């Protein structure tokens, strides 16, 4: 009898409808959510301190997702909703920029990140900007060229006959490089209307920087071998490290540089050439 009752009870239980409970889960951190996804980056990093750059983020997704941008102190935001950064007003550092999502309560406080790096400015001093003919001499008629230049309003050009090319400059006041033989370098732009007039494979001249007010004393000297400089027609950037220079005469006073000269010998039988200089500066080696 007991067995019969158990069978009846089991039958009734199996015949009842099954009720299942479904749990709806909220945002999971390991699952992408379309309306919470806003992947961005700042292009061009690293920047140099003082760069005149207004920077906006670029997006891979979710540009229209509302958010607020923030970072550690030192990075200057012009617009925290758009993520606009003023590089020129910011200080050197490596910054992690956070975009915290707004108006999306289901996102669980989602934050996405990008990085901006700003390095210290290079220590740089202008030796001569080639904006005036004052203090310049050349082995030809020197003039200012406002059309063909590398910086500022002018470059200095000279039309030179074959033989020897000379351009020199005496400063009105000594220039303090603020650097040492191990940390400094001299940079300038040299224009050649025809680079083939110089012999290759041998030293055809020198670039000189001195503190004696003239050549051949208290002087840093770099020999010019045309093929080593890879001269081409037009403007050529020249970068000369102090530590690679020969020293002429007495000790060079790097706190009182006051004379520059470049000279080069041309091949025999060549015609006139136009040479030029621009943006002569001393800076810390990079």
């Amino acid at each position: 009898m007991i067995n019969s009752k158990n069978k009846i009870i089991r039958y009734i239980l199996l015949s009842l409808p099954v009720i299942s409970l479904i749990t709806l889960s909220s945002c999971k951190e390991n699952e992408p959510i379309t309306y919470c996804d806003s992947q961005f980056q700042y292009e061009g990093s690293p920047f140099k301190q003082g760069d005149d750059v207004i920077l906006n983020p670029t997006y891979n997704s979710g540009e229209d997702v509302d958010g607020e941008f923030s970072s550690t102190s030192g990075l200057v935001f012009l617009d925290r909703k758009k993520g606009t950064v003023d590089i020129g007003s910011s200080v050197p550092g490596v910054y992690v920029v956070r975009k915290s999502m707004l108006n999306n309560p289901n996102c669980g406080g989602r934050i996405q990140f990008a990085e901006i790096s700003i390095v210290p400015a290079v220590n740089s001093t202008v030796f001569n900007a080639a904006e005036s003919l004052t203090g310049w001499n050349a082995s030809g008629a020197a003039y200012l060229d406002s059309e063909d230049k590398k910086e500022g309003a002018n470059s200095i050009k000279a039309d030179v006959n074959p033989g020897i090319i000379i351009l020199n400059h005496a400063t009105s006041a000594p220039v303090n490089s603020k650097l040492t033989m191990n940390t400094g370098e001299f940079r300038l732009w040299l224009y050649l209307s025809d680079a083939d007039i110089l012999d290759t494979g041998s030293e055809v001249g020198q670039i000189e920087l001195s503190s004696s007010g003239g050549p051949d004393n208290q002087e840093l000297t770099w020999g010019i071998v045309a093929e080593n400089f890879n001269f081409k027609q037009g403007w050529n950037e020249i970068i000369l490290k102090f530590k690679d220079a020969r020293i002429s005469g007495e000790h060079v006073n790097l706190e009182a540089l006051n004379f520059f000269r470049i000279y080069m010998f041309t091949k025999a039988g060549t015609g006139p050439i136009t040479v030029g200089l621009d943006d002569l500066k001393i800076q810390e080696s990079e």
Side-chain angles (χ1 to χ4, degrees):
M1 205 53 193
I2 294 175
N3 290 338
S4 297
K5 287 181 179 179
N6 287 340
K7 288 180 179 180
I8 293 170
I9 292 170
R10 190 179 304 156
Y11 175 79
I12 292 171
L13 291 173
L14 292 172
S15 301
L16 291 173
V18 177
I19 300 174
S20 63
L21 299 177
I22 302 173
T23 302
L24 296 176
S25 62
S26 59
C27 291
K28 293 182 180 179
E29 288 298 323
N30 59 352
E31 293 179 356
I33 304 169
T34 302
Y35 52 83
C36 298
D37 184 43
S38 185
Q39 297 180 16
F40 67 98
Q41 61 274 327
Y42 288 93
E43 297 179 351
S45 190
F47 298 92
K48 289 183 180 179
Q49 181 184 13
D51 280 350
D52 186 17
V53 175
I54 303 301
L55 189 63
N56 286 296
T58 58
Y59 285 85
N60 298 326
S61 61
E63 183 173 357
D64 296 330
V65 175
D66 289 337
E68 182 167 321
F69 290 80
S70 63
S71 185
T72 51
S73 177
L75 190 68
V76 177
F77 286 93
L78 297 178
D79 190 325
R80 290 187 177 273
K81 298 295 185 184
K82 295 180 180 178
T84 306
V85 173
D86 183 355
I87 296 294
S89 299
S90 301
V91 300
V94 178
Y95 299 96
V96 176
V97 179
R98 300 176 293 276
K99 181 181 180 181
S100 302
M101 309 306 166
L102 302 176
N103 303 323
N104 289 314
N106 292 328
C107 291
R110 287 274 175 122
I111 299 174
Q112 292 193 281
F113 304 91
E115 185 176 287
I116 296 176
S117 179
I118 303 174
V119 298
V122 174
N123 188 357
S124 179
T125 302
V126 174
F127 182 80
N128 188 274
E131 298 295 337
S132 166
L133 293 177
T134 301
W136 282 96
N137 286 294
S139 55
Y143 57 92
L144 296 177
D145 188 339
S146 61
E147 299 296 327
D148 185 18
K149 62 204 177 181
K150 293 306 295 185
E151 66 82 39
N154 300 297
S155 65
I156 289 177
K157 297 277 185 68
D159 297 324
V160 181
N161 290 322
I164 184 171
I165 300 167
I166 302 176
L167 292 97
N168 61 52
H169 173 71
T171 65
S172 57
V175 175
N176 185 351
S177 74
K178 303 175 185 177
L179 298 167
T180 69
M181 287 295 294
N182 288 325
T183 62
E185 64 185 28
F186 185 41
R187 292 187 172 216
L188 65 148
W189 286 92
L190 172 67
Y191 176 87
L192 297 171
S193 61
D194 182 358
D196 292 333
I197 68 164
L198 302 175
D199 279 318
T200 59
S202 60
E203 189 169 306
V204 296
Q206 291 186 158
I207 297 171
E208 303 164 347
L209 195 59
S210 75
S211 56
S212 65
D216 304 328
N217 191 21
Q218 300 178 31
E219 181 179 76
L220 301 176
T221 299
W222 297 271
I224 298 175
V225 178
E227 63 183 13
N228 292 346
F229 285 84
N230 295 317
F231 286 139
K232 64 181 185 300
Q233 180 179 330
W235 286 104
N236 299 268
E237 185 179 22
I238 299 176
I239 301 173
L240 305 164
K241 295 184 182 300
F242 286 1
K243 63 184 179 182
D244 295 335
R246 300 189 293 257
I247 307 295
S248 295
E250 301 173 13
H251 171 72
V252 181
N253 184 355
L254 297 179
E255 296 181 359
L257 297 168
N258 56 14
F259 186 80
F260 159 82
R261 180 172 71 168
I262 182 172
Y263 68 85
M264 296 175 286
F265 293 98
T266 64
K267 295 177 184 175
T270 57
I273 181 176
T274 299
V275 296
L277 292 168
D278 204 358
D279 194 22
L280 290 76
K281 63 187 177 186
I282 299 162
Q283 74 172 50
E284 188 174 4
S285 295
E286 296 182 352

